[in-house]
Amino acid sequence: MNNKFDALKDDDSGDHEQDQGSPKDSEKEKPEEDDKEQNIIKKKMVVPGPGEHPLQYNYTFWYSRRTPGRPASTQSYEQNIKQIGSFASVEQFWRFYSHMIRPGDLTGHSDFHLFKEGIKPMWEDDANKMGGKWIIRLRKGLASRCWENLILAMLGEQFMVGEEICGAVVSVRFQEDIISIWNKTASDQATTARIRDTLRRVLNLPPNTIMEYKTHTDSIKAWEDFHGLVNASGGR
Amino acid sequence: MSTDCQKTTAKTIPSTRRVIINNADHMPHDYSTTPGGTLFSTTPGGTRIIYDRKFLLECRSSPLTRTPPRGLPPIPGVTSPPSKGPNEKTVNGEVENNNSISAPETSNAGEDAQFEMDI
């Protein structure tokens, strides 16, 4: 069943292969499919189980918690972040989600991250470095519900922005919680506007909710300023 | 082109995709939705597997989702230990993110059931 589904995806995505079935095209098709299969085996990616509903992308759950008393540095951030696991189907997602605490019940300074498989939840990742995020600050008590709505929309491809979505984060803080969704290209205003509108729809936010878009380069700069760091180039 | 027909392996435009329905809950609730999510072939960025919130929540009740995932790292206070039985209940239903919480949600999972939120 999965193979059939993959074949279907291939057919639709490659318009050029459909128009004229010349012999050249058909020769080209075969090795491509073989390559793809080999890649899957090589990378040992998770695949949907039999009878499960495949997702458009594989995703990975991460968890991070700031060690109390120690200032965060990029390195310790990467060390503090733990992979929980990856999934490829709706059912596999629920298996993780149902065995994880709800974000509203997390304690301390901690985050759940849900990113496409292969993208690290870090500003520096290749997929993120030109990107940014929409941030919504929530009063205590709303994080669990909003997080669930946010990730269900992401997994179900409700944002309709092609490959642009990288992942989502829920951050539990002292007085408020923050949810955010990251995309690849911060300068792409059509995409960021569409993400904002989808967020309003799926989170059912009241019209006066403040939503802030922040580029990761700005986040890095703010972080460096806060920690009293100056760029190697001397400027800021 | 017609002479090439024997050689070419070009496939017809796919029109069917088999979806196994294990549970009546997985049936779509209106005629514009297909079981197993709606497959769009002309969305921006090509084919997308799209699921709405309601369908995803319904999938949660599938028996396939009960077992903890393999290799779930034990993180105290974050990931719960493997469930002891099908009917486990935690003290107030809030500690573990489990069926006790999903049940009320699935019963009114429609788009209209969203709460009003003031931030």
Side-chain angles (χ1 to χ4, degrees):
Chain A
M1 188 196 152
N2 296 325
N3 286 341
K4 200 177 191 177
F5 197 76
D6 282 339
L8 192 144
K9 266 200 296 198
D10 285 344
D11 277 353
D12 275 3
S13 54
D15 294 346
H16 57 282
E17 282 173 9
Q18 272 180 16
D19 38 16
Q20 302 276 319
S22 75
K24 229 197 278 171
D25 277 349
S26 59
E27 276 165 26
K28 220 168 49 191
E29 246 178 72
K30 265 277 161 60
E32 244 175 51
E33 271 178 17
D34 288 346
D35 271 353
K36 209 177 168 189
E37 268 172 30
Q38 277 170 5
N39 273 343
I40 288 169
I41 293 161
K42 227 186 288 170
K43 286 186 205 156
K44 277 196 180 150
M45 291 203 348
V46 282
V47 291
E52 296 181 350
H53 297 89
L55 293 167
Q56 177 70 40
Y57 298 98
N58 290 5
Y59 289 85
T60 305
F61 265 121
W62 305 71
Y63 167 73
S64 62
R65 183 186 165 90
R66 199 167 76 187
T67 327
R70 250 181 75 207
S73 72
T74 316
Q75 214 181 5
S76 73
Y77 174 76
E78 195 167 6
Q79 283 159 357
N80 276 343
I81 192 159
K82 285 194 177 84
Q83 259 192 57
I84 294 176
S86 299
F87 56 86
S89 70
V90 179
E91 286 77 6
Q92 289 169 358
F93 158 72
W94 284 121
R95 234 173 276 160
F96 277 103
Y97 187 82
S98 302
H99 292 86
M100 287 160 60
I101 198 171
R102 288 163 71 97
D105 299 322
L106 282 171
T107 54
H109 193 285
S110 39
D111 307 76
F112 278 131
H113 317 249
L114 182 60
F115 274 70
K116 284 179 184 165
E117 194 175 43
I119 302 180
K120 277 188 192 166
M122 302 178 69
W123 302 322
E124 298 85 355
D125 191 280
D126 278 347
N128 296 324
K129 62 185 179 192
M130 302 299 290
K133 60 183 172 182
W134 278 107
I135 304 168
I136 302 168
R137 294 169 190 278
L138 302 167
R139 62 171 165 81
K140 285 286 178 187
L142 298 173
S144 296
R145 184 62 178 259
C146 285
W147 171 243
E148 185 173 290
N149 286 338
L150 174 64
I151 62 177
L152 292 183
M154 181 171 77
L155 300 177
E157 286 291 319
Q158 297 291 314
F159 286 94
M160 301 283 188
V161 286
E163 311 270 305
E164 269 288 326
I165 302 291
C166 296
V169 184
V170 57
S171 306
V172 175
R173 296 298 180 259
F174 180 55
Q175 283 178 318
E176 62 180 3
D177 300 322
I178 302 161
I179 56 171
S180 57
I181 183 154
W182 294 28
N183 75 300
K184 267 188 190 141
T185 320
S187 58
D188 181 349
Q189 286 184 10
T191 288
T192 55
R194 187 175 269 194
I195 296 171
R196 180 200 56 214
D197 295 344
T198 311
L199 281 174
R200 281 195 193 283
R201 180 169 60 85
V202 300
L203 300 179
N204 202 27
L205 297 167
N208 60 344
T209 307
I210 296 165
M211 298 174 64
E212 181 193 350
Y213 191 82
K214 203 169 179 181
T215 67
H216 297 325
T217 46
D218 279 354
S219 299
I220 292 172
K221 214 186 284 171
W223 186 89
E224 285 172 348
D225 285 350
F226 182 74
H227 289 86
L229 300 177
V230 176
N231 280 347
S233 58
R236 280 206 302 189
Chain B
M1 156 127 198
S2 56
T3 49
D4 284 343
C5 273
Q6 254 82 353
K7 292 177 197 166
T8 178
T9 56
K11 297 166 205 141
T12 54
I13 296 168
S15 57
T16 54
R17 173 185 153 205
R18 242 170 254 284
V19 172
I20 299 161
I21 304 289
N22 297 315
N23 188 322
D25 285 347
H26 292 178
M27 287 302 288
H29 61 109
D30 59 46
Y31 292 118
S32 60
T33 313
T34 47
T38 303
L39 195 66
F40 289 81
S41 57
T42 52
T43 46
T47 310
R48 294 267 158 208
I49 306 168
I50 293 169
Y51 300 109
D52 66 15
R53 177 175 176 274
K54 185 174 183 292
F55 180 81
L56 291 172
L57 287 170
E58 284 162 358
C59 286
R60 189 176 199 178
S61 59
S62 159
L64 294 171
T65 68
R66 296 287 154 77
T67 49
R70 216 186 297 160
L72 183 74
I75 307 173
V78 179
T79 55
S80 53
S83 48
K84 275 123 202 148
N87 231 357
E88 86 269 45
K89 278 253 159 77
T90 39
V91 186
N92 52 10
E94 284 294 320
V95 180
E96 241 180 330
N97 180 19
N98 235 321
N99 307 327
S100 49
I101 294 164
S102 70
E105 259 178 296
T106 34
S107 60
N108 61 354
E111 286 301 315
D112 301 329
Q114 287 288 305
F115 62 132
E116 278 299 316
M117 193 165 67
D118 42 89
I119 297 179

